[in-house]
Amino acid sequence: MKNIVRELRAEKGWSQAHLADLLEVSRQTVNAIETGRYDPSLPLAFALARLFEQPIESIFTDEEHA
């Protein structure tokens, strides 16, 4: 799954550590999501969508159907 978490985080001027604190996850988790090594759980995806005020579908896309 592809995502634009890194771009959205950069627009806010947030570090990975700051985003991790807001989401109550580790910085390594944020890094793994941004690099596509980890697909977040549905609750975590919803939390990201709320933080960035975006629909989940605009943050995460299926690589096969992108």
Side-chain angles (χ1 to χ4, degrees):
M1 185 173 348
K2 295 182 87 165
N3 71 74
I4 59 166
V5 173
R6 182 182 311 245
E7 291 85 352
L8 293 170
R9 178 178 59 77
E11 285 175 12
K12 297 271 191 186
W14 294 345
S15 66
Q16 286 183 343
H18 181 68
L19 179 56
D21 287 345
L22 293 173
L23 295 169
E24 298 181 352
V25 300
S26 69
R27 187 201 58 77
Q28 290 84 354
T29 297
V30 170
N31 181 269
I33 291 169
E34 288 184 354
T35 58
R37 290 182 288 121
Y38 172 73
D39 291 335
S41 65
L42 197 51
L44 184 52
F46 272 108
L48 283 160
R50 277 192 301 275
L51 270 178
F52 293 122
E53 300 176 334
Q54 301 271 335
I56 289 175
E57 300 84 12
S58 72
I59 299 173
F60 298 95
T61 55
D62 182 1
E63 288 183 83
E64 294 178 16
H65 299 101

Short mmCIF file of all heavy atoms in Angstrom, two decimals:
data_model
loop_
_atom_site.label_atom_id
_atom_site.label_comp_id
_atom_site.label_asym_id
_atom_site.label_seq_id
_atom_site.Cartn_x
_atom_site.Cartn_y
_atom_site.Cartn_z
N MET A 1 0.84 -1.17 0.00
CA MET A 1 0.00 0.00 0.00
C MET A 1 0.89 1.24 0.00
O MET A 1 1.86 1.31 0.73
CB MET A 1 -0.88 -0.03 1.26
CG MET A 1 -1.86 1.07 1.29
SD MET A 1 -3.10 1.06 2.62
CE MET A 1 -3.01 -0.50 3.37
N LYS A 2 0.55 2.18 -0.84
CA LYS A 2 1.28 3.45 -0.89
C LYS A 2 0.59 4.45 0.03
O LYS A 2 -0.59 4.33 0.30
CB LYS A 2 1.28 4.00 -2.32
CG LYS A 2 2.05 3.12 -3.30
CD LYS A 2 2.06 3.73 -4.66
CE LYS A 2 3.23 4.68 -4.72
NZ LYS A 2 3.58 5.11 -6.05
N ASN A 3 1.36 5.44 0.49
CA ASN A 3 0.76 6.47 1.33
C ASN A 3 1.53 7.78 1.18
O ASN A 3 2.64 7.81 0.66
CB ASN A 3 0.73 6.01 2.80
CG ASN A 3 2.09 5.96 3.43
OD1 ASN A 3 2.67 7.00 3.75
ND2 ASN A 3 2.64 4.76 3.61
N ILE A 4 0.88 8.84 1.64
CA ILE A 4 1.48 10.18 1.58
C ILE A 4 1.71 10.74 2.98
O ILE A 4 1.72 11.96 3.18
CB ILE A 4 0.63 11.14 0.73
CG1 ILE A 4 -0.79 11.28 1.30
CG2 ILE A 4 0.60 10.69 -0.73
CD1 ILE A 4 -1.58 12.45 0.71
N VAL A 5 1.92 9.85 3.95
CA VAL A 5 2.11 10.29 5.34
C VAL A 5 3.32 11.22 5.45
O VAL A 5 3.25 12.27 6.09
CB VAL A 5 2.23 9.08 6.29
CG1 VAL A 5 2.61 9.53 7.70
CG2 VAL A 5 0.92 8.29 6.31
N ARG A 6 4.42 10.86 4.80
CA ARG A 6 5.63 11.69 4.89
C ARG A 6 5.35 13.11 4.37
O ARG A 6 5.76 14.10 4.99
CB ARG A 6 6.77 11.06 4.08
CG ARG A 6 8.08 11.83 4.16
CD ARG A 6 9.14 11.17 3.31
NE ARG A 6 9.22 9.76 3.59
CZ ARG A 6 10.26 9.14 4.13
NH1 ARG A 6 11.34 9.83 4.42
NH2 ARG A 6 10.24 7.86 4.37
N GLU A 7 4.65 13.21 3.25
CA GLU A 7 4.35 14.52 2.67
C GLU A 7 3.44 15.33 3.59
O GLU A 7 3.65 16.53 3.79
CB GLU A 7 3.69 14.35 1.29
CG GLU A 7 4.62 13.80 0.23
CD GLU A 7 4.72 12.27 0.22
OE1 GLU A 7 4.18 11.60 1.14
OE2 GLU A 7 5.34 11.74 -0.71
N LEU A 8 2.41 14.67 4.14
CA LEU A 8 1.49 15.38 5.03
C LEU A 8 2.21 15.83 6.30
O LEU A 8 1.99 16.95 6.78
CB LEU A 8 0.31 14.46 5.39
CG LEU A 8 -0.63 14.13 4.24
CD1 LEU A 8 -1.61 13.04 4.66
CD2 LEU A 8 -1.37 15.35 3.74
N ARG A 9 3.07 14.98 6.83
CA ARG A 9 3.84 15.33 8.03
C ARG A 9 4.75 16.53 7.74
O ARG A 9 4.83 17.47 8.54
CB ARG A 9 4.65 14.12 8.49
CG ARG A 9 5.51 14.39 9.70
CD ARG A 9 6.26 13.16 10.15
NE ARG A 9 7.14 12.61 9.13
CZ ARG A 9 8.33 13.11 8.80
NH1 ARG A 9 8.78 14.20 9.37
NH2 ARG A 9 9.06 12.53 7.86
N ALA A 10 5.40 16.51 6.58
CA ALA A 10 6.31 17.60 6.22
C ALA A 10 5.55 18.93 6.07
O ALA A 10 6.05 19.98 6.47
CB ALA A 10 7.03 17.26 4.92
N GLU A 11 4.34 18.86 5.51
CA GLU A 11 3.53 20.08 5.37
C GLU A 11 3.24 20.72 6.72
O GLU A 11 3.16 21.93 6.84
CB GLU A 11 2.20 19.76 4.67
CG GLU A 11 2.31 19.51 3.19
CD GLU A 11 0.99 19.09 2.57
OE1 GLU A 11 -0.07 19.19 3.23
OE2 GLU A 11 1.01 18.62 1.42
N LYS A 12 3.07 19.89 7.75
CA LYS A 12 2.80 20.39 9.10
C LYS A 12 4.08 20.82 9.81
O LYS A 12 4.02 21.44 10.86
CB LYS A 12 2.12 19.31 9.94
CG LYS A 12 0.77 18.87 9.42
CD LYS A 12 -0.31 19.71 9.99
CE LYS A 12 -1.67 19.11 9.69
NZ LYS A 12 -2.76 19.96 10.10
N GLY A 13 5.23 20.44 9.25
CA GLY A 13 6.50 20.75 9.89
C GLY A 13 6.78 19.87 11.10
O GLY A 13 7.54 20.26 11.99
N TRP A 14 6.18 18.69 11.14
CA TRP A 14 6.33 17.78 12.26
C TRP A 14 7.47 16.81 12.01
O TRP A 14 7.66 16.34 10.89
CB TRP A 14 5.06 16.98 12.49
CG TRP A 14 3.87 17.77 12.92
CD1 TRP A 14 3.85 19.04 13.39
CD2 TRP A 14 2.50 17.32 12.89
NE1 TRP A 14 2.56 19.42 13.67
CE2 TRP A 14 1.71 18.39 13.38
CE3 TRP A 14 1.88 16.16 12.50
CZ2 TRP A 14 0.33 18.30 13.49
CZ3 TRP A 14 0.50 16.06 12.62
CH2 TRP A 14 -0.27 17.13 13.11
N SER A 15 8.17 16.45 13.06
CA SER A 15 9.16 15.38 12.99
C SER A 15 8.44 14.04 13.11
O SER A 15 7.28 13.98 13.52
CB SER A 15 10.17 15.50 14.14
OG SER A 15 9.51 15.27 15.37
N GLN A 16 9.14 12.98 12.75
CA GLN A 16 8.58 11.65 12.95
C GLN A 16 8.28 11.42 14.42
O GLN A 16 7.26 10.82 14.77
CB GLN A 16 9.53 10.57 12.43
CG GLN A 16 9.57 10.46 10.93
CD GLN A 16 10.47 9.32 10.46
OE1 GLN A 16 11.29 8.81 11.20
NE2 GLN A 16 10.29 8.94 9.21
N ALA A 17 9.17 11.89 15.28
CA ALA A 17 8.98 11.71 16.73
C ALA A 17 7.72 12.43 17.22
O ALA A 17 6.97 11.89 18.04
CB ALA A 17 10.21 12.19 17.49
N HIS A 18 7.48 13.64 16.70
CA HIS A 18 6.29 14.39 17.12
C HIS A 18 5.03 13.67 16.66
O HIS A 18 4.07 13.52 17.44
CB HIS A 18 6.33 15.82 16.57
CG HIS A 18 5.14 16.63 16.97
ND1 HIS A 18 4.92 17.03 18.28
CD2 HIS A 18 4.10 17.11 16.25
CE1 HIS A 18 3.79 17.71 18.33
NE2 HIS A 18 3.28 17.77 17.11
N LEU A 19 5.00 13.22 15.42
CA LEU A 19 3.84 12.48 14.92
C LEU A 19 3.64 11.21 15.74
O LEU A 19 2.51 10.87 16.10
CB LEU A 19 4.00 12.15 13.43
CG LEU A 19 2.85 11.35 12.80
CD1 LEU A 19 1.51 12.05 12.98
CD2 LEU A 19 3.14 11.11 11.33
N ALA A 20 4.71 10.52 16.05
CA ALA A 20 4.62 9.31 16.86
C ALA A 20 4.00 9.61 18.22
O ALA A 20 3.15 8.86 18.70
CB ALA A 20 6.00 8.68 17.02
N ASP A 21 4.42 10.72 18.84
CA ASP A 21 3.85 11.12 20.13
C ASP A 21 2.35 11.38 20.02
O ASP A 21 1.57 10.96 20.87
CB ASP A 21 4.54 12.37 20.68
CG ASP A 21 5.94 12.10 21.20
OD1 ASP A 21 6.30 10.92 21.41
OD2 ASP A 21 6.68 13.09 21.40
N LEU A 22 1.95 12.07 18.96
CA LEU A 22 0.53 12.36 18.76
C LEU A 22 -0.29 11.08 18.57
O LEU A 22 -1.45 11.01 19.00
CB LEU A 22 0.34 13.27 17.55
CG LEU A 22 0.88 14.69 17.67
CD1 LEU A 22 0.78 15.42 16.34
CD2 LEU A 22 0.14 15.46 18.75
N LEU A 23 0.31 10.09 17.92
CA LEU A 23 -0.38 8.83 17.63
C LEU A 23 -0.19 7.79 18.74
O LEU A 23 -0.82 6.73 18.69
CB LEU A 23 0.14 8.24 16.32
CG LEU A 23 -0.14 9.05 15.06
CD1 LEU A 23 0.65 8.49 13.89
CD2 LEU A 23 -1.64 9.06 14.77
N GLU A 24 0.70 8.10 19.69
CA GLU A 24 1.03 7.17 20.77
C GLU A 24 1.61 5.86 20.23
O GLU A 24 1.22 4.77 20.62
CB GLU A 24 -0.17 6.92 21.68
CG GLU A 24 -0.65 8.18 22.36
CD GLU A 24 -1.83 7.98 23.28
OE1 GLU A 24 -2.42 6.88 23.31
OE2 GLU A 24 -2.19 8.94 23.97
N VAL A 25 2.54 6.00 19.27
CA VAL A 25 3.29 4.88 18.72
C VAL A 25 4.77 5.27 18.73
O VAL A 25 5.12 6.39 19.07
CB VAL A 25 2.85 4.51 17.27
CG1 VAL A 25 1.38 4.11 17.24
CG2 VAL A 25 3.11 5.66 16.30
N SER A 26 5.63 4.35 18.34
CA SER A 26 7.06 4.66 18.31
C SER A 26 7.42 5.42 17.03
O SER A 26 6.70 5.35 16.03
CB SER A 26 7.89 3.37 18.38
OG SER A 26 7.74 2.63 17.18
N ARG A 27 8.54 6.12 17.08
CA ARG A 27 9.04 6.79 15.88
C ARG A 27 9.33 5.77 14.80
O ARG A 27 9.13 6.02 13.62
CB ARG A 27 10.30 7.61 16.21
CG ARG A 27 10.76 8.47 15.02
CD ARG A 27 12.21 8.87 15.11
NE ARG A 27 13.12 7.75 15.18
CZ ARG A 27 13.47 6.98 14.14
NH1 ARG A 27 12.99 7.22 12.94
NH2 ARG A 27 14.31 5.98 14.30
N GLN A 28 9.79 4.59 15.20
CA GLN A 28 10.09 3.53 14.24
C GLN A 28 8.83 3.09 13.50
O GLN A 28 8.89 2.77 12.31
CB GLN A 28 10.74 2.33 14.94
CG GLN A 28 12.15 2.61 15.42
CD GLN A 28 12.23 3.30 16.78
OE1 GLN A 28 11.22 3.70 17.36
NE2 GLN A 28 13.45 3.46 17.29
N THR A 29 7.69 3.11 14.18
CA THR A 29 6.42 2.76 13.53
C THR A 29 6.08 3.79 12.47
O THR A 29 5.69 3.44 11.35
CB THR A 29 5.28 2.65 14.57
OG1 THR A 29 5.59 1.57 15.46
CG2 THR A 29 3.94 2.40 13.90
N VAL A 30 6.24 5.06 12.79
CA VAL A 30 5.98 6.13 11.82
C VAL A 30 6.91 5.96 10.61
O VAL A 30 6.47 6.03 9.46
CB VAL A 30 6.13 7.53 12.45
CG1 VAL A 30 6.09 8.62 11.38
CG2 VAL A 30 5.05 7.75 13.49
N ASN A 31 8.18 5.70 10.87
CA ASN A 31 9.14 5.50 9.78
C ASN A 31 8.73 4.31 8.92
O ASN A 31 8.77 4.39 7.69
CB ASN A 31 10.54 5.31 10.34
CG ASN A 31 11.56 5.12 9.25
OD1 ASN A 31 11.85 4.00 8.84
ND2 ASN A 31 12.10 6.22 8.76
N ALA A 32 8.32 3.22 9.53
CA ALA A 32 7.93 2.02 8.79
C ALA A 32 6.69 2.27 7.94
O ALA A 32 6.59 1.78 6.81
CB ALA A 32 7.70 0.85 9.75
N ILE A 33 5.74 3.05 8.45
CA ILE A 33 4.56 3.40 7.66
C ILE A 33 4.96 4.25 6.47
O ILE A 33 4.56 4.00 5.33
CB ILE A 33 3.51 4.13 8.53
CG1 ILE A 33 2.92 3.17 9.57
CG2 ILE A 33 2.41 4.74 7.67
CD1 ILE A 33 2.09 3.86 10.64
N GLU A 34 5.79 5.27 6.73
CA GLU A 34 6.20 6.19 5.65
C GLU A 34 6.97 5.47 4.54
O GLU A 34 6.84 5.84 3.37
CB GLU A 34 7.05 7.32 6.22
CG GLU A 34 6.27 8.31 7.03
CD GLU A 34 7.08 9.49 7.52
OE1 GLU A 34 8.32 9.51 7.32
OE2 GLU A 34 6.48 10.41 8.09
N THR A 35 7.76 4.50 4.90
CA THR A 35 8.57 3.80 3.89
C THR A 35 7.85 2.60 3.29
O THR A 35 8.41 1.92 2.43
CB THR A 35 9.91 3.34 4.49
OG1 THR A 35 9.65 2.48 5.61
CG2 THR A 35 10.76 4.53 4.92
N GLY A 36 6.62 2.35 3.73
CA GLY A 36 5.83 1.26 3.15
C GLY A 36 6.19 -0.12 3.67
O GLY A 36 5.74 -1.12 3.13
N ARG A 37 6.98 -0.18 4.74
CA ARG A 37 7.34 -1.48 5.31
C ARG A 37 6.27 -2.00 6.25
O ARG A 37 6.30 -3.16 6.65
CB ARG A 37 8.68 -1.40 6.04
CG ARG A 37 9.86 -1.22 5.10
CD ARG A 37 11.19 -1.18 5.84
NE ARG A 37 11.31 0.08 6.57
CZ ARG A 37 11.48 0.18 7.88
NH1 ARG A 37 11.58 -0.88 8.63
NH2 ARG A 37 11.57 1.37 8.46
N TYR A 38 5.33 -1.14 6.63
CA TYR A 38 4.29 -1.52 7.59
C TYR A 38 3.00 -0.83 7.19
O TYR A 38 2.97 0.38 6.98
CB TYR A 38 4.73 -1.09 8.99
CG TYR A 38 3.67 -1.25 10.07
CD1 TYR A 38 3.33 -2.52 10.55
CD2 TYR A 38 3.03 -0.14 10.61
CE1 TYR A 38 2.37 -2.66 11.54
CE2 TYR A 38 2.06 -0.29 11.60
CZ TYR A 38 1.75 -1.54 12.06
OH TYR A 38 0.80 -1.69 13.04
N ASP A 39 1.92 -1.61 7.09
CA ASP A 39 0.59 -1.05 6.87
C ASP A 39 -0.07 -0.89 8.23
O ASP A 39 -0.14 -1.85 9.00
CB ASP A 39 -0.25 -1.97 5.99
CG ASP A 39 0.25 -2.03 4.56
OD1 ASP A 39 0.91 -1.08 4.11
OD2 ASP A 39 -0.02 -3.04 3.88
N PRO A 40 -0.54 0.32 8.54
CA PRO A 40 -1.11 0.54 9.87
C PRO A 40 -2.41 -0.22 10.08
O PRO A 40 -3.11 -0.56 9.11
CB PRO A 40 -1.36 2.05 9.90
CG PRO A 40 -1.56 2.41 8.47
CD PRO A 40 -0.65 1.50 7.69
N SER A 41 -2.72 -0.46 11.33
CA SER A 41 -4.02 -1.04 11.68
C SER A 41 -5.11 -0.05 11.30
O SER A 41 -4.84 1.15 11.09
CB SER A 41 -4.08 -1.32 13.18
OG SER A 41 -4.02 -0.08 13.90
N LEU A 42 -6.32 -0.52 11.22
CA LEU A 42 -7.42 0.38 10.87
C LEU A 42 -7.58 1.51 11.90
O LEU A 42 -7.72 2.67 11.50
CB LEU A 42 -8.72 -0.42 10.73
CG LEU A 42 -9.86 0.26 10.00
CD1 LEU A 42 -9.43 0.81 8.64
CD2 LEU A 42 -11.01 -0.71 9.83
N PRO A 43 -7.52 1.23 13.22
CA PRO A 43 -7.60 2.35 14.17
C PRO A 43 -6.47 3.37 13.99
O PRO A 43 -6.70 4.58 14.11
CB PRO A 43 -7.50 1.66 15.54
CG PRO A 43 -8.02 0.28 15.30
CD PRO A 43 -7.56 -0.07 13.91
N LEU A 44 -5.28 2.90 13.67
CA LEU A 44 -4.16 3.83 13.46
C LEU A 44 -4.36 4.63 12.17
O LEU A 44 -4.08 5.83 12.13
CB LEU A 44 -2.83 3.07 13.43
CG LEU A 44 -1.56 3.90 13.31
CD1 LEU A 44 -1.50 5.00 14.35
CD2 LEU A 44 -0.34 2.98 13.42
N ALA A 45 -4.88 3.99 11.14
CA ALA A 45 -5.18 4.70 9.89
C ALA A 45 -6.23 5.79 10.13
O ALA A 45 -6.10 6.90 9.62
CB ALA A 45 -5.64 3.72 8.81
N PHE A 46 -7.26 5.47 10.93
CA PHE A 46 -8.27 6.48 11.26
C PHE A 46 -7.66 7.62 12.06
O PHE A 46 -7.99 8.79 11.85
CB PHE A 46 -9.43 5.86 12.04
CG PHE A 46 -10.51 5.29 11.16
CD1 PHE A 46 -10.67 3.92 11.05
CD2 PHE A 46 -11.37 6.12 10.46
CE1 PHE A 46 -11.67 3.39 10.25
CE2 PHE A 46 -12.38 5.61 9.65
CZ PHE A 46 -12.52 4.22 9.54
N ALA A 47 -6.75 7.30 12.98
CA ALA A 47 -6.09 8.34 13.77
C ALA A 47 -5.28 9.27 12.87
O ALA A 47 -5.30 10.50 13.04
CB ALA A 47 -5.20 7.71 14.84
N LEU A 48 -4.57 8.70 11.91
CA LEU A 48 -3.81 9.51 10.95
C LEU A 48 -4.76 10.41 10.15
O LEU A 48 -4.48 11.60 9.95
CB LEU A 48 -3.00 8.62 10.01
CG LEU A 48 -1.73 8.04 10.59
CD1 LEU A 48 -1.28 6.82 9.80
CD2 LEU A 48 -0.64 9.09 10.62
N ALA A 49 -5.87 9.84 9.69
CA ALA A 49 -6.83 10.62 8.91
C ALA A 49 -7.38 11.79 9.73
O ALA A 49 -7.51 12.90 9.21
CB ALA A 49 -7.97 9.71 8.44
N ARG A 50 -7.68 11.54 11.00
CA ARG A 50 -8.18 12.63 11.85
C ARG A 50 -7.12 13.71 12.05
O ARG A 50 -7.42 14.90 11.94
CB ARG A 50 -8.61 12.07 13.22
CG ARG A 50 -10.00 11.49 13.23
CD ARG A 50 -10.49 11.23 14.65
NE ARG A 50 -9.63 10.29 15.37
CZ ARG A 50 -9.73 8.96 15.32
NH1 ARG A 50 -10.64 8.40 14.55
NH2 ARG A 50 -8.91 8.20 16.01
N LEU A 51 -5.88 13.30 12.33
CA LEU A 51 -4.81 14.27 12.56
C LEU A 51 -4.59 15.17 11.34
O LEU A 51 -4.37 16.37 11.47
CB LEU A 51 -3.51 13.56 12.87
CG LEU A 51 -3.20 13.25 14.32
CD1 LEU A 51 -1.89 12.48 14.42
CD2 LEU A 51 -3.13 14.51 15.15
N PHE A 52 -4.61 14.55 10.16
CA PHE A 52 -4.33 15.31 8.94
C PHE A 52 -5.59 15.85 8.28
O PHE A 52 -5.51 16.48 7.23
CB PHE A 52 -3.54 14.44 7.95
CG PHE A 52 -2.15 14.13 8.43
CD1 PHE A 52 -1.72 12.81 8.58
CD2 PHE A 52 -1.25 15.14 8.73
CE1 PHE A 52 -0.43 12.52 9.01
CE2 PHE A 52 0.04 14.86 9.16
CZ PHE A 52 0.44 13.54 9.30
N GLU A 53 -6.74 15.59 8.91
CA GLU A 53 -8.03 16.08 8.39
C GLU A 53 -8.20 15.70 6.92
O GLU A 53 -8.54 16.54 6.08
CB GLU A 53 -8.16 17.58 8.62
CG GLU A 53 -8.10 17.96 10.08
CD GLU A 53 -8.13 19.45 10.32
OE1 GLU A 53 -7.72 20.23 9.43
OE2 GLU A 53 -8.56 19.85 11.41
N GLN A 54 -7.96 14.42 6.64
CA GLN A 54 -8.06 13.88 5.28
C GLN A 54 -8.83 12.56 5.35
O GLN A 54 -8.73 11.84 6.34
CB GLN A 54 -6.66 13.55 4.72
CG GLN A 54 -5.71 14.69 4.65
CD GLN A 54 -5.82 15.42 3.33
OE1 GLN A 54 -6.25 14.86 2.34
NE2 GLN A 54 -5.44 16.67 3.33
N PRO A 55 -9.54 12.21 4.29
CA PRO A 55 -10.13 10.87 4.26
C PRO A 55 -9.02 9.82 4.15
O PRO A 55 -7.97 10.08 3.54
CB PRO A 55 -11.01 10.86 3.02
CG PRO A 55 -10.79 12.15 2.32
CD PRO A 55 -9.89 13.01 3.14
N ILE A 56 -9.24 8.68 4.73
CA ILE A 56 -8.24 7.61 4.68
C ILE A 56 -7.83 7.33 3.24
O ILE A 56 -6.65 7.13 2.95
CB ILE A 56 -8.77 6.33 5.35
CG1 ILE A 56 -8.85 6.53 6.87
CG2 ILE A 56 -7.90 5.12 5.03
CD1 ILE A 56 -9.47 5.37 7.62
N GLU A 57 -8.80 7.35 2.34
CA GLU A 57 -8.52 7.01 0.93
C GLU A 57 -7.57 8.00 0.26
O GLU A 57 -6.95 7.67 -0.75
CB GLU A 57 -9.82 6.95 0.11
CG GLU A 57 -10.82 5.93 0.60
CD GLU A 57 -11.69 6.45 1.74
OE1 GLU A 57 -11.70 7.67 2.02
OE2 GLU A 57 -12.36 5.62 2.37
N SER A 58 -7.49 9.22 0.79
CA SER A 58 -6.56 10.18 0.20
C SER A 58 -5.14 10.01 0.75
O SER A 58 -4.19 10.49 0.16
CB SER A 58 -7.04 11.61 0.40
OG SER A 58 -6.90 12.00 1.74
N ILE A 59 -5.02 9.31 1.88
CA ILE A 59 -3.71 9.09 2.49
C ILE A 59 -3.11 7.76 2.03
O ILE A 59 -1.93 7.68 1.72
CB ILE A 59 -3.82 9.12 4.03
CG1 ILE A 59 -4.32 10.49 4.50
CG2 ILE A 59 -2.46 8.79 4.67
CD1 ILE A 59 -4.61 10.57 5.99
N PHE A 60 -3.96 6.74 1.96
CA PHE A 60 -3.51 5.39 1.61
C PHE A 60 -4.16 4.94 0.31
O PHE A 60 -5.36 5.10 0.13
CB PHE A 60 -3.87 4.40 2.72
CG PHE A 60 -3.21 4.71 4.03
CD1 PHE A 60 -3.88 5.45 4.99
CD2 PHE A 60 -1.92 4.28 4.29
CE1 PHE A 60 -3.27 5.77 6.20
CE2 PHE A 60 -1.30 4.59 5.50
CZ PHE A 60 -1.99 5.34 6.44
N THR A 61 -3.35 4.40 -0.59
CA THR A 61 -3.87 3.87 -1.85
C THR A 61 -3.32 2.48 -2.11
O THR A 61 -2.18 2.18 -1.75
CB THR A 61 -3.52 4.78 -3.05
OG1 THR A 61 -2.09 4.96 -3.09
CG2 THR A 61 -4.19 6.13 -2.95
N ASP A 62 -4.13 1.67 -2.73
CA ASP A 62 -3.74 0.32 -3.10
C ASP A 62 -2.81 0.41 -4.30
O ASP A 62 -3.17 0.94 -5.34
CB ASP A 62 -5.00 -0.49 -3.45
CG ASP A 62 -4.70 -1.92 -3.81
OD1 ASP A 62 -3.53 -2.34 -3.79
OD2 ASP A 62 -5.68 -2.63 -4.10
N GLU A 63 -1.59 -0.10 -4.17
CA GLU A 63 -0.60 0.00 -5.26
C GLU A 63 -1.10 -0.65 -6.53
O GLU A 63 -0.78 -0.21 -7.62
CB GLU A 63 0.72 -0.64 -4.82
CG GLU A 63 1.45 0.17 -3.79
CD GLU A 63 2.79 -0.43 -3.44
OE1 GLU A 63 3.75 -0.19 -4.19
OE2 GLU A 63 2.84 -1.14 -2.43
N GLU A 64 -1.86 -1.73 -6.41
CA GLU A 64 -2.34 -2.44 -7.60
C GLU A 64 -3.38 -1.65 -8.37
O GLU A 64 -3.55 -1.84 -9.56
CB GLU A 64 -2.92 -3.80 -7.20
CG GLU A 64 -1.87 -4.75 -6.66
CD GLU A 64 -2.48 -6.07 -6.23
OE1 GLU A 64 -3.63 -6.36 -6.62
OE2 GLU A 64 -1.81 -6.80 -5.51
N HIS A 65 -4.10 -0.76 -7.68
CA HIS A 65 -5.16 -0.01 -8.32
C HIS A 65 -4.93 1.49 -8.31
O HIS A 65 -5.84 2.26 -8.46
CB HIS A 65 -6.50 -0.34 -7.64
CG HIS A 65 -6.87 -1.77 -7.73
ND1 HIS A 65 -6.69 -2.64 -6.69
CD2 HIS A 65 -7.37 -2.49 -8.76
CE1 HIS A 65 -7.07 -3.84 -7.07
NE2 HIS A 65 -7.49 -3.79 -8.31
N ALA A 66 -3.68 1.88 -8.13
CA ALA A 66 -3.36 3.31 -8.08
C ALA A 66 -3.29 3.90 -9.46
O ALA A 66 -3.12 3.28 -10.44
CB ALA A 66 -2.04 3.52 -7.35
#
